[in-house]
Amino acid sequence: TIGILGGGQLGRMMTLSGTAMGYRFITLDPTDNSPCGQVARQIVAGYDDQKAARQLAEECDVITYEFENVDADVAALLENEAYVPQGSKLLYTTQHRLREKRAIEAAGVPVAPYREITSAEDMSAAIEALGVPCVLKTVTGGYDGKGQRVIRDTETALTAYEELAGLGTELVLEQFVSFECEISVIAARNPQGEIRTFPPAENVHVNNILHTSVVPARVSSELQLEAQQLAAKIAESMGAVGLLAVEMFVTRDGQLYVNELAPRPHNSGHYTMEACSTSQFEQHVRAICGLPLADTCLLSPVVMVNVLGEHIEAVIDRFAKKDADADELGVVPKLHLYGKADAKTGRKMGHINLLCHDVQHALDWIGKTNIWRNEYK
Ligand code: AMP
């Protein structure tokens, strides 16, 4: 039995994959009937509920998590009372941007130049060193672009500092990377030290939320290989177990800078579900259960497009009818829905993997549906 801290879509897809492999799953999540709770047994309790965490520890042979902001005390309790192969150190590092950057640098992998900011005085020296534009970020708690401000001149710097310093966490100032594109690589490592990486995905974000992942990424094959090697190097150096998603910027002159890590399955790895010989979810289950890692080769070009609250109705209509555009373009759309009832704007409700002969055909399909027209304004 595998226990999952968190009951969102990542836990749901992990459960669906792992169930096919013969494992049983229990999820701990505060909201009843969570996406994962619909396909696994669920303990309904808060993430800081020590009694519930203890129950999960008692009932499970292996424990994993599907989000990063796991309460440190609960993580420590679980590590003491159960088998948590990913450990709490990886979480401790990736929960904090500065610790994360130092760990990436320690692996010998480049990050965008940055400065730690602990006071208003630090800001002017850091801006002088890094130049504008630059990006001020909170070191903890930020996701999907929350807790960050782009600074274009020294005047906006102070207001940005005051706003973010008010959130009560440390800050980091990063040089703005004028990137050609963003890519990500999912690496997997098992406790025996075996490492495998998936082909890089080229990611487009809209309003700081992932919109599409295009695979193969439209960068040179040398860069793809280098990105995979960097991700493997980080996983190795950190002694990661399970998946490690590595997000990178690609500059015009072909330099790679790592931006962020996530020690879990990642939205930009959803394409693997149909397009690779092994999905990221199966690979994660294999890694945490100490099985040999499986082949990750790409079986077909693919574009993954996210279905948010504002898209869901049109998407369901579209999939209820015969799709002449898909037939004509030679695109095979595979819909995955997460079982969420409340379709709020910006909420991730599902995704579509568009298998294709050429990624441009899949992008044409997205355009023809008109469902994502606001993304291309
Ligand atoms: P993050 O929360 O660090 O993943 O940042 C969210 C998004 O903001 C990234 O996917 C980038 O598109 C953009 N961004 C973050 N940091 C930088 C940077 N140093 N230079 C340029 N763009 C950035």
Side-chain angles (χ1 to χ4, degrees):
T1 302
I2 299 175
I4 309 177
L5 219 47
Q9 63 265 24
L10 301 177
R12 176 186 177 99
M13 291 184 275
M14 203 189 288
T15 299
L16 291 172
S17 197
T19 302
M21 298 162 75
Y23 293 101
R24 272 189 286 271
F25 287 82
I26 304 177
T27 178
L28 190 159
D29 190 282
T31 314
D32 196 16
N33 201 33
S34 64
C36 185
Q38 295 166 25
V39 296
R41 226 182 86 206
Q42 181 174 349
I43 299 172
V44 182
Y47 297 127
D48 55 355
D49 184 332
Q50 306 226 350
K51 194 166 152 263
R54 203 159 275 133
Q55 186 192 342
L56 191 72
E58 271 167 23
E59 295 197 38
C60 299
D61 305 294
V62 179
I63 290 187
T64 184
Y65 45 80
E66 59 109 71
F67 69 111
E68 278 142 278
N69 293 318
V70 178
D71 182 88
D73 292 337
V74 166
L77 180 152
L78 287 174
E79 233 188 332
N80 281 332
E81 301 193 10
Y83 178 52
V84 189
Q86 290 159 284
S88 55
K89 186 160 173 285
L90 191 60
L91 271 177
Y92 176 78
T93 307
T94 55
Q95 275 171 350
H96 189 283
R97 285 189 195 272
L98 274 167
R99 292 199 283 260
E100 182 174 276
K101 285 181 194 301
R102 290 178 190 132
I104 298 164
E105 288 177 309
V109 171
V111 295
Y114 67 93
R115 291 286 187 281
E116 183 177 353
I117 304 290
T118 49
S119 67
E121 290 73 56
D122 284 352
M123 278 294 282
S124 37
I127 290 176
E128 192 138 321
L130 301 174
V132 283
C134 49
V135 190
L136 186 64
K137 299 179 180 179
T138 57
V139 297
T140 55
Y143 65 95
D144 288 348
K146 293 184 182 74
Q148 29 181 299
R149 298 282 182 283
V150 176
I151 293 170
R152 300 190 187 278
D153 50 53
T154 31
E155 285 89 85
T156 56
L158 214 57
T159 37
Y161 172 78
E162 279 166 3
E163 278 173 33
L164 294 188
L167 299 176
T169 113
E170 292 164 75
L171 302 175
V172 57
L173 190 70
E174 290 175 22
Q175 194 168 80
F176 189 89
V177 180
S178 79
F179 54 81
E180 186 83 358
C181 66
E182 295 185 73
I183 62 172
S184 58
V185 172
I186 316 276
R189 184 175 175 278
N190 65 12
Q192 300 91 304
E194 191 188 356
I195 297 179
R196 295 226 189 200
T197 56
F198 286 95
E202 176 188 342
N203 303 318
V204 173
H205 297 87
V206 177
N207 298 327
N208 286 308
I209 300 174
L210 183 63
H211 168 49
T212 50
S213 295
V214 173
V215 191
R218 290 162 295 180
V219 299
S220 70
S221 45
E222 290 79 16
L223 256 180
Q224 295 192 32
L225 187 64
E226 189 188 338
Q228 286 178 277
Q229 285 167 344
L230 292 187
K233 230 164 120 178
I234 297 171
E236 167 85 61
S237 158
M238 294 177 82
V241 169
L243 297 186
L244 185 70
V246 182
E247 295 188 79
M248 311 176 204
F249 298 130
V250 184
T251 66
R252 198 147 303 165
D253 50 4
Q255 169 77 36
L256 293 171
Y257 290 109
V258 171
N259 176 40
E260 259 198 323
L261 307 177
R264 52 166 172 80
H266 196 260
N267 195 168
S268 69
H270 291 355
Y271 81 86
T272 59
M273 293 174 83
E274 282 97 8
C276 288
S277 48
T278 303
S279 78
Q280 64 166 344
F281 300 102
E282 176 180 343
Q283 195 78 307
H284 181 70
V285 171
R286 287 178 163 277
I288 60 170
C289 293
L291 298 178
L293 299 181
D295 184 76
T296 57
C297 83
L298 188 68
L299 303 174
S300 162
V302 60
V303 174
M304 190 281 322
V305 60
N306 264 337
V307 176
L308 305 182
E310 60 269 39
H311 309 128
I312 185 77
E313 239 179 272
V315 163
I316 288 171
D317 275 357
R318 178 104 197 172
F319 277 77
K321 298 185 193 108
K322 201 167 157 50
D323 191 330
D325 294 327
D327 291 347
E328 195 178 310
L329 290 163
V331 169
V332 183
K334 298 285 186 185
L335 175 63
H336 298 267
L337 294 178
Y338 307 151
K340 297 181 186 176
D342 188 8
K344 277 192 286 234
T345 302
R347 186 165 195 223
K348 290 174 182 171
M349 304 296 289
H351 70 271
I352 304 168
N353 285 336
L354 298 153
L355 300 174
C356 49
H357 298 291
D358 179 326
V359 294
Q360 190 53 50
H361 298 156
L363 294 169
D364 290 345
W365 181 89
I366 294 174
K368 282 195 167 183
T369 65
N370 225 17
I371 296 171
W372 290 271
R373 56 189 174 277
N374 289 331
E375 276 73 3
Y376 295 96
K377 264 186 188 156

